[in-house]
Amino acid sequence: MTPELPFALTLGAITFLLTVIWGSPFVEVLRRLRAGKQIRETGPATHQSKMGTPTMGGILILVPVVLITLGLNLARVIQSGVTGSSILLPLALLIAFGLLGSIDDIEGIRSARERGEGIRARTKFAGQITFSIIAAIVMAYVDGGFQNANGVYIPLFPTFIELPPILWIVIAVVAITGMSNAVNFTDGLDGLSGIITASAFAAYGVIAHLQGQTFLVQFCFIMVGACFGFLWYNAHPAQLFMGDVGSLALGAALGTVALMTGQWLLLPIIAAIPVVELLSVVLQVSYFRLTNGQRLFRMTPLHHHFELGGWSETQVVQRFWLVGILTAMLGVSLALLR
């Protein structure tokens, strides 16, 4: 076994420990700041007991990821003059989408009379599109070590297919923005979004390892460790919620990682749960408008549909996680097919 993978796994373990260590005082700070989550009255009645649970827990993930990733690159620059410049892009998107999400979370906390709603959906979407376009242009035109960020691998097809820059940019914007919203919709039950995104990052970490993208492997497993550390406090009953600061950022970073491996066609498989959650919302809204008020699901995102069907919150999370692990394994296996 090459030393890169053990080192990346070790980084993930270290990130987990650091996240757990600083998580307890962070939760207490959020409580003192009264950064409580506003629960929508239209949601499942069982969720009303969560009113006031601290939100913006995604900061617990972002801080160690940013510090460890930047510290790792700084150390390599000092030692050998070599840096994994390519991972600075998903790191930048992690920060940018995290800032966008934090604004949304803060507005939601301040505006209790708006039932926990943050900034306008159009404003948030415009920000996501803007950041995604910038990232797509960088991958398409900037020579920054983006090994496979200009095309696609197709399972059972032996060669890498390069795409025209304009087509690539459109695909990249859809992937980053779509996955950011998909993880955001998944973040509705204790432990759900954290465990699902951790599984997806682990899968892409393995894929990046198979491609020899050392720095991307490290970034993926740092993300896994941070997500696991967050889950220490987000496990049912949650002591804090991820909030948009975490879900928007994690989704954008995951979409970027998928693009950088050239295996973005596998993203709907590896991240099947977030993708299905997003599609359930789109289908629900479309069906509601087409049928003048009828519903396709009991409630969306999809995890609420199963809750209202009699599944407990823990059952939904555990069953979705099982599906997420299996689809992540399937995605890795398809990436091996040439």
Side-chain angles (χ1 to χ4, degrees):
M1 181 183 291
T2 57
E4 289 82 5
L5 185 58
F7 182 60
L9 294 172
T10 302
L11 285 174
I14 293 172
T15 307
F16 167 77
L17 291 174
L18 293 177
T19 304
V20 170
I21 289 171
W22 91 283
S24 183
F26 176 68
V27 172
E28 184 60 31
V29 168
L30 289 178
R31 285 173 177 166
R32 291 180 180 272
L33 292 175
R34 297 181 179 179
K37 175 69 174 178
Q38 301 295 323
I39 306 298
R40 296 181 181 179
E41 294 178 1
T42 55
T46 54
H47 288 208
Q48 295 304 313
S49 61
K50 300 181 180 185
M51 181 76 73
T53 300
T55 187
M56 299 187 71
I59 296 174
L60 189 64
I61 299 174
L62 270 59
V63 169
V65 170
V66 171
L67 292 180
I68 291 176
T69 303
L70 288 179
L72 189 65
N73 276 262
L74 180 61
R76 290 186 177 275
V77 171
I78 295 174
Q79 290 174 3
S80 59
V82 177
T83 178
S85 59
S86 60
I87 67 169
L88 297 180
L89 180 63
L91 189 67
L93 279 177
L94 192 76
I95 296 172
F97 277 76
L99 289 173
L100 179 64
S102 67
I103 296 173
D104 190 39
D105 287 335
I106 291 171
E107 286 300 312
I109 294 169
R110 288 178 176 176
S111 306
R113 55 191 172 88
E114 295 180 350
R115 300 180 183 179
E117 298 292 339
I119 58 179
R120 295 179 59 186
R122 290 182 180 179
T123 303
K124 187 196 301 186
F125 187 70
Q128 291 174 305
I129 290 291
T130 300
F131 294 143
S132 298
I133 290 174
I134 294 172
I137 292 174
V138 170
M139 285 188 282
Y141 294 108
V142 177
D143 183 14
F146 305 110
Q147 180 174 319
N148 296 316
N150 63 342
V152 62
Y153 283 108
I154 300 176
L156 300 176
F157 195 79
T159 55
F160 179 74
I161 302 175
E162 292 190 14
L163 299 175
I166 297 301
L167 176 59
W168 165 258
I169 289 173
V170 173
I171 291 171
V173 170
V174 171
I176 296 171
T177 304
M179 189 50 54
S180 177
N181 284 294
V183 175
N184 185 233
F185 283 128
T186 307
D187 182 33
L189 300 180
D190 296 350
L192 181 57
S193 57
I195 197 65
I196 293 298
T197 51
S199 301
F201 272 113
Y204 273 109
V206 173
I207 292 172
H209 171 66
L210 296 173
Q211 296 178 349
Q213 298 203 58
T214 302
F215 298 104
L216 195 59
V217 178
Q218 294 171 3
F219 177 79
C220 286
F221 283 104
I222 289 172
M223 290 296 302
V224 172
C227 287
F228 281 173
F230 167 77
L231 287 167
W232 188 272
Y233 299 96
N234 186 239
H236 184 74
Q239 295 175 257
L240 83 167
F241 298 142
M242 181 179 290
D244 282 16
V245 63
S247 59
L248 294 184
L250 263 62
L254 180 59
T256 306
V257 167
L259 291 164
M260 291 174 63
T261 62
Q263 294 284 8
W264 48 267
L265 278 180
L266 298 178
L267 189 57
I269 297 175
I270 292 175
I273 294 297
V275 170
V276 170
E277 294 268 31
L278 175 61
L279 288 176
S280 72
V281 175
V282 173
L283 290 173
Q284 182 85 318
V285 173
S286 301
Y287 189 78
F288 186 86
R289 291 176 177 174
L290 289 173
T291 59
N292 296 318
Q294 296 185 37
R295 298 177 183 273
L296 190 61
F297 303 99
R298 299 182 186 95
M299 183 179 292
T300 56
L302 190 62
H303 52 260
H304 291 323
H305 171 80
F306 289 104
E307 276 192 291
L308 295 180
W311 292 14
S312 69
E313 182 172 357
T314 303
Q315 284 178 316
V316 175
V317 173
Q318 291 180 343
R319 289 169 180 172
F320 276 33
W321 180 36
L322 291 174
V323 173
I325 292 176
L326 291 174
T327 57
M329 292 168 56
L330 177 60
V332 173
S333 68
L334 289 173
L336 292 171
L337 296 178
R338 290 285 186 273

